[in-house]
Amino acid sequence: IKSQITNSCLQGEVVAFDYQSKMLTLKCASSSGKPNLNDVILINLAYVSKVDIIHDRTETPPPLASLNVSKLANRARTEKEDKLSQAYAISAGVSVEGQQLFQTIHKTIKDCKWQEKNIIVMDDVVISPPYQVENCRGKEGSALSHVRKIVEKHFRDVESQKSMQRSQAQQTQKDSTLSS
Amino acid sequence: IFNGVYANMRMVHVLTSVVGTKCELKVKNGTVYEGVFKTYGPECDLVLDAAHRKSPEPSLGPRKEDIVESIIFKASDVVVVTFKDVDPNFARKDNFTDAAVSNRINGEHKEKDLEPWDGGDTHNSDSLESLDTDVSNGWDPNDMFKYNEEKYGVLSTYDSSLSTYTVPLERDDSEEFLKREARAAQLAEEIEASATYKARVALENDERTEEEKYTAVVRGERETPTISRENKYIPPGQRNREAMSWGAGRQNSPRLGQSSAGASASRPGPHDYSPNTGPDQRVVNGGSSHWPSPCPSPSSRPPSRYQSGPSYLPPRATTPTRPPSRPPSRPSRPPSHSSHPSYPSSSSSFSQHGPTSPASTLPKRMSSEGPPRMSPKSQRTPRAHRVPPSRISSVSVAVDLGSHNPPGDVSATPPARSNSSGGTWSSVVSGGRVLSLSHRPRSPRQNNVGRASPGSSSLSSPQTGTAPIETVTTLTSASSPTAASPAPNMVASPSGDGKDCRVQETTQSSPSANNENIKSLDNSPSISRPVCKGPPSMAPDHRKQIDNLKKFSVDFRLQSSSSPDPSFDQMTKPVRDSSDKPKDLSLDKAAAAGRDGAEDGAAGLAAGGSGAAPASSASKPGSPAAPSPSSLEQKRGGQDVTSQGVQTTAMSTLSGPKHEEKEEKKEAVQDQVRKSTLNPNANEFKPRFNTQPKPANTPTPPRPQGQPSPSIVVQQPPTVYSCFPQMYPLTPVSPGVQVRCTPVQMPHMAVSQPKPYRPVPNMPQQRSDQHHPPGTPTMMHPATAAGPPIVAPNPAYSAQYFTCSPQQFTSQPLVQQMTHYQSQAQHVFSPVMQSSARMMGPPTHGQPSLVSSSTTQYPEQTHTMYGEYFTFSLSWPMPQQYPHPSATLHPHPQHPQPSATPTGQGQQGPPQHGGPPSHPAASPVQHSQHQQAAALHLSNAPPQQQIYSALAPTPPSMTPNPQSPQASFPSAQQTVYIHPQQVQHGYNPNHMAHVQQAHMQSGIVPSHHPAPTHPPMMLMATQGPGGPQPPMPQTALNPIPVSSTTHFSYLAHAQVQPHHQQQL
């Protein structure tokens, strides 16, 4: 059932195909190069000019593992919220650096949000543009120091990123775009 | 169901697995949207949340205003959707299983080769070794206390009574307490009998170490550590086993008591039993001593448990308070022993057998009976163990019986039995009184037995087998009093029939050994009731003096003694017959079934005998009946006997109601019984009736206690069981009688009946019994106005009757008997109960083949049953009970009344009440239907169903014991096959099993009986077949009344039994 299809520039392993809707699902190596991740491409063959079978497999495909639907639903919700949050920041005119920083902090501390152009972490620490370590304000305490560490590390990583492409787990498109 | 893409599993899987990921979706116009993949439709429409049109300027993210809450893209518009960096395993549920983790391991990964670890020389000798070889189960608590005190000066405040956490159980002789105790015992039994419990215990007791069970390492011989478990924690169950001897002792004691009673009653017991006294003593003394020894378990628990165990035992026997009674009983017993050396011996043999093993007991017929009882008791003592023991004992017994039986000539033995039974009967008569007194004691025993049997029933086939045995024993014991008369009858002609019946029963039973067991349990209760009644008449003084406890003890003795011999003989014989056949059929189960069947048959015989006695014409009826039985299975007079038995059963049932009505009535009944005693059969029946009635009467009070009563009820069932065993023996003599008896027993057993239901196989037997009842029913019909209510009970009965119907037809005499019944009604009822129990066994045999035919007959039978009930009601002032008969409801109402008095009882009482009401409602209809069916000769099935429905109502009463009912239902269904109602009956059986629900059982009992009866009916039909059946329908109605009466009696009995327990 597995076959390799070449569609303009797409090539991958067919994991599913629906004849009626002509939808073909391919599993490709991750575009980000991460070994444990894949890119899944859903193609409407109605718009495909040519399909080449590169390799035909005869073995039965592996059994389908049951899926944790609630987990998927949660993921969809959080992703949506994140995106909306990001959009909010963008619409607020936050700089790319600020957005990157927000993404970084958000990966560590979920309890962070945009307030205008300020990043509010745990309702306690406020990071205002230009989002440097010294811009972190809040009650002195572990929270502030912790956030500062994150911010500090973030910019250090950003600096290193410039010289060396680094992949960060679950980097958002923006992150990637920004970095690029 | 699934449309479009949804029908494509793989597409669904893939798309679902990427839900919640960001994706870029390119539509046909070239626009690219980015969003969170939310979901997709059947047409592969895609939904993106928070989507925005991806701007050509990649560096900028979407602006707030660019984002759309969600966009639905039609599949036809989608060109390409790209999900980047998706973790395919994100949503896999087994994400963290070993397999899942290992699957994600990159690179070559093969299982590592496990290498035995060599700890090296340094550690071998010391720590590791010591750990492996240290068999001790840690420190003894006392050692710990002592060590801490010496070493650190810390004094433990540990109080073994745990007064800080709980309140010591205050034991008293109050009925309520006894009831509760019985209830607790029932519950414990139920729990212990449950498959889950056993499974768990098995896990706990698994001799294999965890290492052995789960290790992936294959050890060489050298490594296999053989750790002795001697000092390790011993589960209570196992401990019990250890204590088995003790338990056995106890059992023996009860048995002894019975045996002694029997001895006193008559030397029946006879020959085989001779050693009783010794055993009894053992029981009393040795038993106690044994317990202590078992207790020895390393941990402190043992003591507590032991205590609990003992307490349990006492409860069963007589609760804590009972102990005193025991002593008294013992004294009485001794005399009996002296008088009847044989009995004592038997009891002793029993005890010995019980303790040692079923097999040992099995060797001798007597022993076999003893063992069963013993086993039950032993089982009881150790709850968990109890069951096992019972199983074992039962099994072994069954086996033994089988072996023994084979050895013993069926025909030859029967006569002998009859003879013995005759002797026993006489003894029984006298013993009957004793029994009545002893009944209470028996009840405990019965309870024990019942428990054991329930457990066995609940357990696998083996258990069932054991249960049957127990039941048999119980039956015998129970029957002994009432059965005594039957036995005589049996002796005369029945023996042969009995054997036949037994065989049939065995065959039937084999299928539904469990059911039979249940039935037997039910029966036992009924028996117990009779016993109770007997006591009043026989030894009122004793009661006063010894109190309930003494009575119980006495009863036990009486029952055991009286019934044992006959029952044993019969049992053994039946067993032999059945066992032989069963053996062919299968292993233990078959044997068990056979035993059950035999028991049933014995019960039936007993009942038949009783029935005959009641009629005075008993012998006459017996002859007629005998023919019918013969028709069924070679049973010569079996049918006649059965018919007689039915009549007797009816009588017994009637008597049962009477008993319920009032003790006075009981006394009267006793008187009657005494009279009947003149006629061995008659006497026995009367006693039973008396006992039953009393139980009913007393029961009602107990019911008020309600909860307690349930427990009591349970106990009663056990007693019944014990009785049943006896009954069985009797039944063996005359198959037909047995059948009849079983029906009767069923009623009595009400509680026990539920068990019968389980035994579905028994059902057939019961049916056969019912057949007998039908004859009575004819009589009943006249009275029957109440018939309708009876209908409910009748269903089951009807079924039985059907099988019996042929016999019944033959037994128009039954009608006359019916009259007798009416007069003797109370007695009849008790017998009926017993008979019903017996029936249970036979029914099983019949059920398979008979089912269809039985069904047709059932209607009639049911009618008859009702009729009987009515007759009872009419004849007897007892009315309360009669009310039950009159309308199944009535019986229940009575119960309710009892319950009402007890109101406190609540569950049992209410349930019963509820049951009765329902019965009444249902019953009327059913009656009408049944009657119609009978008249029309409609398919028996409908009637049965109706009956069942009626029964079902009873189940409602049972509802308190929902669980058991349900469980029973299943069984019932199986047995019943066609009859849904039977299923309900099955519920009842379950109740039986639950014992606690005993009260419920009373209500249920009827249903059970029905079920059992049906099987019998089936048999009957098959055997007697066409001729008889056809007639049956017509006459059947009349006969049916009888059966119905029997059913009622059962109900009443069941109730009564509870009462007895309460009284006790």
Side-chain angles (χ1 to χ4, degrees), chain B residues 378-397:
Chain B
S378 65
Q379 291 177 350
R380 291 180 181 179
T381 55
R383 291 181 180 178
H385 292 291
R386 290 176 183 177
V387 174
S390 64
R391 291 181 182 178
I392 297 169
S393 64
S394 63
V395 173
S396 63
V397 172

Side-chain angles (χ1 to χ4, degrees), chain B residues 391-712:
Chain B
R391 291 181 182 178
I392 297 169
S393 64
S394 63
V395 173
S396 63
V397 172
V399 175
D400 293 348
L401 291 176
S403 64
H404 290 292
N405 292 339
D409 295 350
V410 176
S411 62
T413 54
R417 292 180 181 178
S418 64
N419 295 340
S420 64
S421 66
T424 54
W425 284 100
S426 62
S427 63
V428 172
V429 174
S430 61
R433 296 176 183 177
V434 176
L435 291 176
S436 62
L437 295 176
S438 65
H439 275 293
R440 292 181 179 179
R442 287 183 180 180
S443 63
R445 292 181 180 179
Q446 288 178 349
N447 291 339
N448 293 335
V449 174
R451 291 178 179 179
S453 64
S456 65
S457 65
S458 66
L459 295 176
S460 62
S461 60
Q463 293 177 348
T464 58
T466 57
I469 296 169
E470 293 175 355
T471 56
V472 174
T473 56
T474 56
L475 292 174
T476 56
S477 64
S479 63
S480 62
T482 53
S485 60
N489 295 341
M490 295 296 290
V491 174
S493 62
S495 64
D497 295 345
K499 292 179 178 179
D500 294 350
C501 292
R502 290 181 181 178
V503 173
Q504 292 176 350
E505 291 177 351
T506 56
T507 58
Q508 293 176 349
S509 64
S510 65
S512 60
N514 294 336
N515 293 336
E516 288 179 355
N517 291 340
I518 295 167
K519 290 179 180 179
S520 65
L521 292 175
D522 293 346
N523 293 336
S524 64
S526 65
I527 295 169
S528 64
R529 291 180 182 177
V531 175
C532 292
K533 290 180 179 179
S537 63
M538 292 303 290
D541 296 348
H542 288 286
R543 289 183 180 179
K544 294 177 181 179
Q545 295 175 347
I546 297 172
D547 298 338
N548 293 336
L549 295 176
K550 291 182 178 179
K551 289 179 181 178
F552 281 96
S553 65
V554 173
D555 290 346
F556 284 107
R557 291 179 180 178
L558 292 174
Q559 292 176 348
S560 65
S561 65
S562 64
S563 62
D565 296 347
S567 64
F568 281 104
D569 293 350
Q570 292 177 348
M571 291 297 291
T572 57
K573 293 178 180 178
V575 173
R576 292 177 180 178
D577 296 346
S578 63
S579 66
D580 292 346
K581 294 180 179 179
K583 288 180 178 178
D584 295 348
L585 294 177
S586 68
L587 315 171
D588 296 348
K589 290 182 178 179
R595 293 177 183 176
D596 293 346
E599 292 178 353
D600 293 348
L605 293 176
S610 64
S616 72
S617 62
S619 62
K620 294 178 181 178
S623 61
S628 63
S630 63
S631 65
L632 293 177
E633 297 174 352
Q634 296 179 348
K635 305 173 181 179
R636 305 167 180 172
Q639 293 177 348
D640 293 352
V641 175
T642 57
S643 64
Q644 293 176 352
V646 173
Q647 292 175 351
T648 56
T649 57
M651 293 296 289
S652 65
T653 56
L654 293 174
S655 66
K658 290 179 180 178
H659 289 290
E660 290 178 353
E661 289 176 353
K662 295 177 181 179
E663 291 178 355
E664 293 177 354
K665 290 182 180 179
K666 291 180 179 179
E667 293 177 354
V669 174
Q670 292 176 347
D671 294 349
Q672 292 178 350
V673 173
R674 292 179 181 177
K675 292 178 182 178
S676 65
T677 54
L678 295 178
N679 297 340
N681 295 337
N683 289 339
E684 289 179 352
F685 283 93
K686 290 178 180 180
R688 289 184 180 179
F689 287 107
N690 292 338
T691 56
Q692 291 178 348
K694 291 179 178 180
N697 293 338
T698 55
T700 55
R703 288 183 181 178
Q705 293 176 350
Q707 295 175 348
S709 65
S711 62
I712 292 171

Side-chain angles (χ1 to χ4, degrees), chain A residues 17 30 38 47 80 173-174, chain B residues 8 34 61 69 76 85-86:
Chain A
F17 173 67
S30 174
N38 296 107
Y47 304 101
K80 181 180 179 181
Q173 284 186 339
K174 279 195 173 183
Chain B
N8 185 327
E34 180 184 317
E69 177 66 16
S76 59
D85 296 340
V86 174

